[in-house]
Amino acid sequence: MDTISKYQQIIEKIIGDYAQLRYSYSEVERKTVFDREQNHYLLMILGVEGHKMVHGCILHLEIKGDKIWIHRDGTEDGIANELVAAGVPQDKIVLGFYTPEKRKITDFAVC
């Protein structure tokens, strides 16, 4: 299995697990959006909470080159840690939600 296919499977498994979590206090659903052709992976929320509509992005990951870019991470524990636990080396993960200057002070890839 090549690296891109491995990363796709890891990302889809992690995001799929998050999508199974249910909100107990509202009618908000989690939806996955996987674009394997362009290598974008999203976890969205959609529904009603109280008297307002909810629509947003919890996670947005992209496989770019040989790295996984995290553009949005709305999880409590951090998706980067889950990627590392699944076998992705830290130097292959880019915390894209940080500026390049701030990425330099992390243990993850600098791009």
Side-chain angles (χ1 to χ4, degrees):
M1 178 183 303
D2 67 72
T3 302
I4 300 298
S5 296
K6 179 181 170 188
Y7 287 174
Q8 289 172 329
Q9 287 186 351
I10 289 170
I11 291 168
E12 289 177 11
K13 167 78 170 91
I14 292 171
I15 291 178
D17 289 346
Y18 273 106
Q20 298 303 313
L21 301 174
R22 298 287 171 228
Y23 285 87
S24 59
Y25 57 88
S26 66
E27 296 177 38
V28 176
E29 296 180 63
R30 296 171 192 242
K31 304 284 187 182
T32 59
V33 180
F34 299 154
D35 179 352
R36 288 183 139 227
E37 191 170 307
Q38 297 184 53
N39 282 318
H40 284 271
Y41 303 86
L42 293 96
L43 177 63
M44 306 293 297
I45 55 172
L46 176 66
V48 178
E49 186 174 281
H51 297 288
K52 69 175 186 176
M53 294 299 299
V54 175
H55 180 264
C57 176
I58 301 288
L59 289 166
H60 178 190
L61 283 69
E62 178 183 13
I63 301 172
K64 197 181 327 184
D66 66 342
K67 294 184 174 48
I68 298 173
W69 283 69
I70 303 171
H71 296 296
R72 167 86 173 108
D73 184 357
T75 65
E76 290 183 19
D77 298 329
I79 192 87
N81 295 326
E82 294 193 47
L83 291 169
V84 170
V88 179
Q90 282 185 310
D91 66 345
K92 299 297 181 189
I93 300 170
V94 179
L95 304 180
F97 50 86
Y98 285 152
T99 62
E101 293 78 25
K102 193 167 183 179
R103 285 182 217 144
K104 293 176 186 172
I105 60 172
T106 72
D107 294 330
F108 294 92
V110 177
C111 289

